């Protein structure tokens, strides 16, 4: 989500005559687009801001802006502690950065972090191609793009800061989403990932379409109908809201990739209840089974929090047995950290750092083995790969299941081509292949 927000910021700046600097030290404007979902991400921002204090002393004309969730959370406190920061930009203000920066420099407000309930995500179209406008950021891949379909979250999982930093859930209008994607596809983009904190509740909180019951599965079908779009993905989805209509899409939409990131967080019902996730392990497993029935090739990934307040050894053992039962293709796992203002901060039974670290290491070691075992099953298979990079002696790309494939022999193809690759080797985090075309 931050990656997409950074692109939006970059585009608004490019439209106002800015262009990317080659180094941070030489930049006229430095923007830190921040994340506060876990304590570690926030600490990184604070130490980088400390380093920038020195840079600004040497070059007082340098402007510094803090955007994203840390900006939203800390607001004026950043300006008070860090007088070298020119602007603190809230999460609902990113489209207005150039204007707000000019005002701040002229003596206006230096912290603009209003968070309103009736926020509407602006209509925002990609820079037109062929007009001479340059790509504002060094892009990770020109053929794969994220598109925001909603912002904020109403779920209030007890550990999570997102509802406080991103505000109430709002969905973007269908027409705006379809127009943005149509333009991206016309400009050569092959793969789109639809983004929201809980895409399953798309359309539930504000009108997005003339049909009142228009939901996420309808949006997927509308996007899939855009001519030229080869691949479609989405993230993220709260298991409690995953319904049949969405599961059916995996059997019915050819371009919907066989991949699902379905964060479970924990394998113990007691912990899930304390997290306010509103599903049980049995509910989760039922949905996993249904997904696999509709789409046997589907690769499932998840998020796990270890060391949530009150997590006993038997709760953690339940998380390990869930891992054995589902055998996720991969997972992102984190040590629980207190986030300001969340309900979990107030829970008793906080777990010692060493215990969290030890549980995390145990979980990750087992996940790595399972990922390797699963990846080995792809060896000798032929899979479609969207090439992201082609060099003189190889390249890399991704499968529909979102596995990275490295090629170490020359490819008679160009980046952006979707080729058939024979998988020759498997590692924990990626595959090796050669062109089978
Ligand atoms: N909307 C997504 C999650 C977004 S946050 C969902 O509901 O699945 C991304 C991940 O960060 C979460 O899935 C969770 O695993 C992790 N996370 C969030 N808050 C955390 C905290 N306080 N401590 C540790 N991990 C956290
Ligand atoms: Fe956070 Fe829960 Fe919302 Fe995900 S669903 S963003 S974890 S509150």
């Amino acid at each position: 989500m931050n990656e997409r927000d950074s692109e939006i910021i970059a585009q608004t700046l490019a439209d106002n005559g800015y262009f990317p600097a080659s180094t941070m030290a030489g930049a006229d404007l430095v923007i830190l687009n921040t994340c506060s979902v876990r304590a570690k991400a926030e600490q990184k921002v604070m130490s980088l801001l400390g380093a920038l204090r020195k840079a600004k002393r040497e070059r007082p004309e340098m402007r510094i802006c803090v955007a994203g969730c840390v900006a939203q959370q800390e607001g004026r406190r950043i300006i008070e502690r860090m007088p070298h920061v020119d602007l603190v930009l809230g999460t609902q203000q990113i489209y207005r950065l150039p204007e707000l920066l000019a005002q701040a420099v002229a003596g206006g407000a230096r912290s603009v972090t209003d968070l309103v309930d009736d926020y509407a995500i602006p209509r925002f179209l990609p820079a037109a191609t062929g007009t001479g406008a340059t790509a504002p950021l060094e892009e990770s891949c020109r053929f794969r793009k994220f598109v925001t379909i909603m912002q904020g979250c109403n779920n209030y999982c007890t550990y999570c800061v997102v509802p406080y930093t991103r505000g109430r859930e709002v969905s973007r209008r269908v027409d705006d989403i379809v127009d943005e994607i149509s333009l991206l596809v016309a400009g050569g983009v092959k793969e789109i990932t639809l983004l929201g904190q809980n895409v399953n509740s798309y359309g539930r909180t504000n009108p997005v379409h003339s049909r009142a019951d228009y939901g996420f599965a309808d949006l997927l079908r509308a996007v899939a109908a855009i001519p030229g779009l080869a691949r479609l993905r989405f993230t993220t989805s709260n298991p409690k809201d995953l319904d049949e209509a969405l599961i059916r899409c995996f059997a019915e939409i050819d371009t919907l990739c066989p991949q699902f990131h379905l964060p479970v967080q924990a394998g113990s019902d007691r912990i899930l209840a304390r997290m306010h996730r509103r599903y049980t392990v049995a509910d989760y497993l039922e949905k996993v089974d249904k997904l696999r029935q509709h789409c046997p090739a589907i690769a499932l990934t998840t998020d796990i929090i270890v060391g949530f307040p009150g997590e006993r050894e038997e709760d953690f053992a339940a998380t390990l047995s869930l891992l054995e039962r589902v055998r996720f293709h991969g997972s992102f796992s984190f040590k629980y950290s207190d986030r300001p203002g969340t309900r979990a901060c107030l829970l008793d039974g906080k777990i010692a750092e060493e215990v969290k670290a030890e549980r995390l290491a145990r979980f990750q070691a087992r996940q790595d083995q399972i990922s390797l075992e699963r990846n080995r099953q792809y060896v000798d298979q032929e899979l479609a790969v969207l090439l992201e990079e082609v060099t003189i002696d190889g390249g890399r790309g991704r499968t529909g299941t979102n596995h990275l494939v490295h090629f170490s022999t020359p490819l008679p193809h160009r980046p952006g081509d979707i080729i058939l690759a024979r998988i020759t080797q498997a590692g924990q985090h990626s595959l090796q292949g050669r062109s089978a075309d």
Side-chain angles (χ1 to χ4, degrees):
M1 200 153 283
N2 271 25
E3 202 173 310
R4 176 62 193 137
D5 285 353
S6 293
E7 287 179 351
I8 291 168
I9 288 174
Q11 191 183 321
T12 62
L13 289 169
D15 292 347
N16 281 268
Y18 288 79
F19 59 93
S22 48
T23 62
M24 188 162 79
D28 296 316
L29 169 64
V30 175
I31 301 156
L32 305 188
N33 189 23
T34 63
C35 172
S36 71
V37 81
R38 291 174 293 275
K40 205 163 147 192
E42 188 179 335
Q43 285 150 12
K44 283 194 211 159
V45 177
M46 293 306 169
S47 70
L48 189 52
L49 276 176
L52 280 169
R53 188 194 306 261
K54 234 170 72 204
K56 185 149 177 172
R57 215 175 287 137
E58 279 153 30
R59 280 201 321 117
E61 68 279 15
M62 176 190 266
R63 302 283 169 225
I64 299 173
C65 168
V66 184
C69 287
V70 177
Q72 186 64 48
Q73 179 186 298
E74 297 299 312
R76 284 212 58 78
R77 282 197 294 269
I78 295 182
I79 305 276
E80 282 154 17
R81 277 173 54 198
M82 316 241 177
H84 59 295
V85 171
D86 295 279
L87 177 66
V88 176
L89 188 75
T91 51
Q92 289 182 350
Q93 276 80 28
I94 60 166
Y95 297 89
R96 296 175 57 209
L97 168 62
E99 163 206 339
L100 293 175
L101 181 66
Q103 283 173 16
V105 170
R110 285 168 60 206
S111 170
V112 187
T113 55
D114 315 307
L115 207 53
V116 295
D117 288 353
D118 59 351
Y119 176 67
I121 302 177
R123 188 171 163 81
F124 187 78
L125 295 176
T129 47
T131 59
T134 49
L137 276 188
E138 196 178 310
E139 295 160 305
S140 47
C141 176
R142 192 153 78 72
F143 307 100
R144 306 167 61 218
K145 288 282 171 205
F146 292 121
V147 170
T148 305
I149 64 161
M150 50 211 296
Q151 182 155 327
C153 185
N154 290 349
N155 280 327
Y156 292 94
C157 302
T158 54
Y159 52 80
C160 185
V161 80
V162 170
Y164 308 97
T165 58
R166 294 261 174 184
R168 304 291 291 170
E169 181 182 296
V170 285
S171 298
R172 204 173 159 204
R173 285 174 42 82
V174 177
D175 290 350
D176 290 353
I177 296 169
V178 170
D179 289 352
E180 179 174 342
I181 298 174
S182 302
L183 273 173
L184 288 169
V185 172
V189 170
K190 297 281 175 65
E191 177 181 310
I192 291 291
T193 303
L194 304 177
L195 281 180
Q197 292 298 345
N198 182 21
V199 294
N200 296 101
S201 56
Y202 175 78
R204 281 201 212 145
T205 42
N206 57 294
V208 289
H209 188 270
S210 53
R211 230 185 69 207
D213 63 347
Y214 196 96
F216 184 58
D218 299 303
L219 178 69
L220 273 181
R221 289 177 204 278
V223 172
I226 296 172
L229 178 63
R231 285 181 166 187
L232 181 55
R233 305 182 195 273
F234 59 84
T235 198
T236 306
S237 187
N238 186 315
K240 81 176 162 61
D241 296 315
L242 170 56
D243 58 11
E244 289 270 344
L246 179 57
I247 294 178
R248 272 201 311 276
C249 290
F250 281 93
E252 293 168 8
I253 302 178
D254 290 347
T255 48
L256 185 60
C257 290
Q259 173 238 327
F260 205 128
H261 184 65
L262 191 59
V264 67
Q265 313 297 356
S268 143
D269 285 340
R270 194 176 72 86
I271 297 298
L272 287 174
R274 282 169 75 89
M275 288 176 164
H276 192 53
R277 289 291 283 182
R278 290 178 280 172
Y279 53 82
T280 62
V281 172
D283 299 333
Y284 186 87
L285 291 174
E286 194 187 316
K287 292 187 184 185
V288 164
D289 290 344
K290 276 213 182 104
L291 278 167
R292 286 180 170 158
Q293 275 158 23
H294 282 76
C295 180
I298 203 160
L300 293 177
T301 52
T302 200
D303 288 349
I304 296 286
I305 298 177
V306 301
F308 187 79
E311 185 185 73
R312 303 180 193 129
E313 185 54 36
E314 69 241 41
D315 296 310
F316 176 65
T319 298
L320 288 177
S321 41
L322 179 74
L323 171 61
E324 298 301 335
R325 166 70 165 76
V326 181
R327 292 174 56 81
F328 296 102
H329 281 71
S331 59
F332 299 97
S333 46
F334 314 101
K335 289 187 280 184
Y336 166 80
S337 55
D338 272 341
R339 305 312 298 133
T342 62
R343 280 190 285 155
C345 273
L346 308 173
L347 291 176
D348 49 18
K350 292 282 160 62
I351 307 295
E353 267 318 296
E354 320 76 87
V355 177
K356 286 193 241 177
E358 188 270 331
R359 287 181 187 166
L360 186 69
R362 257 198 287 162
F363 180 87
Q364 290 179 342
R366 186 60 192 129
Q367 174 68 71
D368 282 350
Q369 288 168 345
I370 291 174
S371 297
L372 184 61
E373 285 159 20
R374 281 215 173 263
N375 287 352
R376 283 192 178 134
Q377 291 175 341
Y378 294 117
V379 173
D380 289 336
Q381 284 190 23
E382 286 188 355
L383 303 176
V385 172
L386 168 59
L387 290 178
E388 293 172 11
E389 192 184 87
V390 176
T391 60
I392 194 137
D393 50 10
R396 65 178 160 77
R398 276 181 192 271
T399 63
T401 51
N402 214 21
H403 286 79
L404 191 61
V405 183
H406 293 284
F407 298 88
S408 51
T409 47
L411 292 167
H413 309 281
R414 293 188 306 185
D417 288 349
I418 296 182
I419 67 161
L420 206 57
R422 177 168 285 272
I423 304 305
T424 52
Q425 262 185 58
Q428 257 158 33
H429 302 295
S430 65
L431 306 171
Q432 286 278 339
R434 62 179 159 73
S435 168
D437 278 350

